[in-house]
Amino acid sequence: MLLPRATSVRTDEGEFLLGESTVITASRKLTATALWLQSTLRPATALLLPAGPFHPATRHSITLEVRPELGDEEYCLTVTPQTVLIEGGSPAGVFYGCQALLQLLPPAVHRRARVSGQRWAVPAVTVRDEPRFRWRGVMLDVARHFMPKHDLLRFIDLLAMHRLNTLHLHLTDDQGWRVEILRHRRLTEVGSWRRESQLGAQDGAPGDGRPHGGYYTQADIREIVAYAAERHITVVPEIDVPGHSQAAIAAYPELGVGGPAREVHTRWGVNPNILNTEESTLDFYRGVLDEITDLFPSRFVGIGGDECPKDQWRADPRTQELMRERGLADETQLQSWFIGRLGEHLATRGRRMFAWDDVLEGPVPPGTAVASWRGMTGARTAARRGHDVVSCPDDQVYLDYRQSEHPDEPIPFAVPLTLQEAYGFEPVPDDLTAHEAAHILGGQANIWTEHMDSPRTVDYYAFPRLCAIAEALWSTGARDFDDFRTRLAAHLPRLEAIGVEYRPETGPLPWQTRPGIEGKPSTRLEWAAFIDDLVTHIKG
């Protein structure tokens, strides 16, 4: 009943019973994994489970070993009545084997206090498993609605449970700046809070009259990154430019394209207020990126590049003068030039730029990885141009989209994205050559939080659809939705033990609805035409 589905499972006779004599043994390079497993098993079982180096005389042990001949994230889990042996090609592989072990125990193992009267038995089994993709991720938008650190750490645990290895944090947008930058303190002093939020998805929706804010200090970020790394998750930061930047402009008006002072944005949707392209603005963001790269060791750093209306640039004499000086023919080239300069700076820091597929409308700097969100057109185009790709097509993995046609879905937006449709996510377009397909690093789910004003609401939108996407990114072989549903039924009690407020199959519970708050639903035909229009300039 493993989720994601394992490559190979062979059951045997008997069981391994955790008890007072059970120990955890591991080599020094696996000490962190051994201590994590010990700390995870102890609360519910109330067993000491002492951890230490392997000794031939050890009996009744959970033994962790690295076997270099296995793939980097591959693991082999062997359970007999006497021992549990978890072998991996690296510490990451061993960690995923430990996650499989937890799923073989009763779901109550995920509770955080002693569970009386429970037998902690693991069935005798041999599991071989490895992932299909290198990039198995989730984008979490903490700019529209801030997720406090405590809840973000819990979310990281949920990603690890599902063998996801990348957390793309959308840290800045028009509605908030969520990371402390020491050289530009007004980014959080001013930019981290707004006076109210739009209530609903319609253009004329009212404001809620309630201030919203929050940000991560640099100490918080270091903790989050370290916590994720212990669970073999890379945190990829995103600082969105040159659009989606009104929170920064509110803090530092000189970053904008003239006009009156602006507040942190209180409305959703695409915003006309964008950055200017002065050298001083580039210097400002080079400084921001220096602090970001100091905080995040991720190879990739997101710079956005999406949904940047260029009307202000067209109407601004100074921007037009800069375009002439730089020999740029139009505003699309100007955006490419601006983003390219930041990409060059990231390269001096040993990093690669990660951007939304909008950047394909102009020249894309070498080494850029492209997140294909407007369907799969961006994935095809980028791969054929030789760029690495993370597939995240809106109609397959956007978890802010409504989950059904059920009339009680909260703030229904866009088209329905059902559990079965999420399970069918395929990151590799079928019309790529083998060489082109090799550029698909993997995929990710995207969780935009305009309508998710609390962690429990994120739970509702994310689960169990994220379980389905995790399996699509991890498991090899043919998909079987009926088999997935059977294993999901066994998996949901694990989520319940953790306290995840997922969406029931029958529809939202009464407190998960949002009566009286209008959404913005669309038919599939309307939405397909809308997306097709957006990607007109990147086809071919």
Side-chain angles (χ1 to χ4, degrees), residues 10-67:
R10 188 186 75 235
T11 58
D12 297 302
E13 294 295 325
E15 63 183 18
F16 179 90
L17 188 64
L18 270 67
E20 298 294 340
S21 63
T22 306
V23 300
I24 300 173
T25 68
S27 62
R28 180 170 295 180
K29 67 168 25 175
L30 292 172
T31 297
T33 304
L35 292 175
W36 170 84
L37 181 60
Q38 180 193 66
S39 67
T40 302
L41 290 171
R42 271 181 170 177
T45 67
L47 298 171
L48 288 178
L49 303 169
F54 175 77
H55 188 278
T58 302
R59 295 289 185 270
H60 210 258
S61 64
I62 301 172
T63 298
L64 313 182
E65 291 184 1
V66 170
R67 278 178 50 196

Side-chain angles (χ1 to χ4, degrees), residues 146 149-150 152-153 178-182 185 188 215-228 291 294-296:
F146 179 67
K149 184 193 70 175
H150 170 272
L152 183 56
L153 297 181
R178 306 297 179 206
V179 56
E180 180 183 39
I181 302 297
L182 297 178
R185 292 187 179 275
T188 47
Y215 69 93
Y216 306 112
T217 67
Q218 294 205 355
D220 291 336
I221 292 293
R222 291 188 181 94
E223 180 184 0
I224 290 162
V225 168
Y227 190 88
E291 294 196 30
D294 286 342
L295 291 169
F296 295 89

Side-chain angles (χ1 to χ4, degrees), residues 107-378:
V109 75
H110 294 286
R111 296 196 178 274
R112 306 311 298 164
R114 181 176 183 175
V115 179
S116 300
Q118 177 70 61
R119 292 181 76 253
W120 302 108
V122 186
V125 68
T126 301
V127 180
R128 294 291 297 259
D129 202 8
E130 61 182 326
R132 181 184 175 197
F133 291 105
R134 290 177 283 165
W135 186 299
R136 307 181 304 279
V138 176
M139 187 287 303
L140 180 64
D141 167 21
V142 296
R144 271 52 175 269
H145 279 104
F146 179 67
M147 181 174 282
K149 184 193 70 175
H150 170 272
D151 299 292
L152 183 56
L153 297 181
R154 170 186 176 268
F155 189 74
I156 288 169
D157 281 327
L158 289 168
L159 302 192
M161 177 185 190
H162 293 88
R163 327 287 199 273
L164 296 164
N165 67 355
T166 305
L167 173 60
H168 167 189
L169 271 187
H170 185 76
L171 289 163
T172 72
D173 214 293
D174 298 311
Q175 297 85 7
W177 185 286
R178 306 297 179 206
V179 56
E180 180 183 39
I181 302 297
L182 297 178
R183 70 189 71 188
H184 300 305
R185 292 187 179 275
R186 284 177 59 84
L187 287 171
T188 47
E189 290 172 356
V190 173
S192 70
W193 72 278
R194 58 181 182 266
R195 61 180 173 82
E196 68 174 5
S197 304
Q198 178 179 329
L199 194 60
Q202 295 289 341
D203 293 341
D208 64 2
R210 181 184 182 187
H212 179 83
Y215 69 93
Y216 306 112
T217 67
Q218 294 205 355
D220 291 336
I221 292 293
R222 291 188 181 94
E223 180 184 0
I224 290 162
V225 168
Y227 190 88
E230 289 172 357
R231 288 147 182 80
H232 302 279
I233 293 172
T234 299
V235 183
V236 175
E238 181 189 353
I239 304 297
D240 206 345
V241 298
H244 287 294
S245 298
Q246 188 163 322
I249 295 168
Y252 292 94
E254 64 270 23
L255 298 175
V257 189
R262 296 180 175 90
E263 64 177 351
V264 178
H265 205 35
T266 62
R267 311 295 296 174
W268 313 134
V270 179
N271 180 5
N273 297 312
I274 63 175
L275 298 174
N276 66 51
T277 63
E278 298 284 354
E279 194 63 37
S280 58
T281 299
L282 282 167
D283 284 341
F284 182 98
Y285 276 92
R286 289 184 187 110
V288 168
L289 292 176
D290 284 347
E291 294 196 30
I292 291 295
T293 51
D294 286 342
L295 291 169
F296 295 89
S298 165
R299 185 183 183 191
F300 292 97
V301 175
I303 53 78
D306 61 313
E307 296 181 329
C308 179
K310 300 172 179 62
D311 295 340
Q312 289 186 341
W313 286 349
R314 293 187 186 98
D316 179 51
R318 173 58 180 164
T319 300
Q320 295 300 309
E321 178 186 5
L322 290 172
M323 287 171 55
R324 289 190 293 272
E325 291 175 1
R326 295 162 181 167
L328 302 173
D330 57 30
E331 291 75 19
T332 297
Q333 287 190 10
L334 177 60
Q335 177 171 330
S336 297
W337 179 90
F338 185 89
I339 289 172
R341 300 294 78 73
L342 295 180
E344 290 171 359
H345 185 70
L346 286 172
T348 69
R349 308 279 295 186
R351 309 303 176 87
R352 291 177 61 185
M353 189 164 67
F354 178 55
W356 299 105
D357 65 29
D358 309 53
V359 299
L360 294 167
E361 295 171 9
V364 180
T368 302
V370 175
S372 178
W373 71 274
R374 297 176 296 183
M376 293 297 281
T377 300

Side-chain angles (χ1 to χ4, degrees), residues 458-527:
V458 172
D459 279 2
Y460 172 84
Y461 278 93
F463 294 99
R465 291 185 295 182
L466 189 54
C467 306
I469 292 167
E471 179 153 313
L473 293 171
W474 175 277
S475 301
T476 57
R479 310 275 177 87
D480 184 336
F481 183 65
D482 289 337
D483 174 68
F484 169 76
R485 286 184 67 189
T486 298
R487 287 180 289 107
L488 180 63
H491 187 68
L492 292 178
R494 299 171 191 141
L495 298 183
E496 291 166 5
I498 294 168
V500 177
E501 296 192 40
Y502 61 84
R503 179 191 185 276
E505 185 176 9
T506 53
L509 297 168
W511 56 89
Q512 294 171 324
T513 64
R514 299 290 295 275
I517 303 177
E518 285 192 76
K520 198 173 185 179
S522 180
T523 68
R524 291 194 177 278
L525 190 62
E526 291 168 339
W527 196 258

Side-chain angles (χ1 to χ4, degrees), residues 408-431:
D408 288 336
E409 290 291 357
I411 316 182
F413 179 70
V415 295
L417 175 57
T418 66
L419 179 66
Q420 186 166 3
E421 287 162 336
Y423 186 70
F425 173 41
E426 175 46 59
V428 182
D430 58 11
D431 53 353

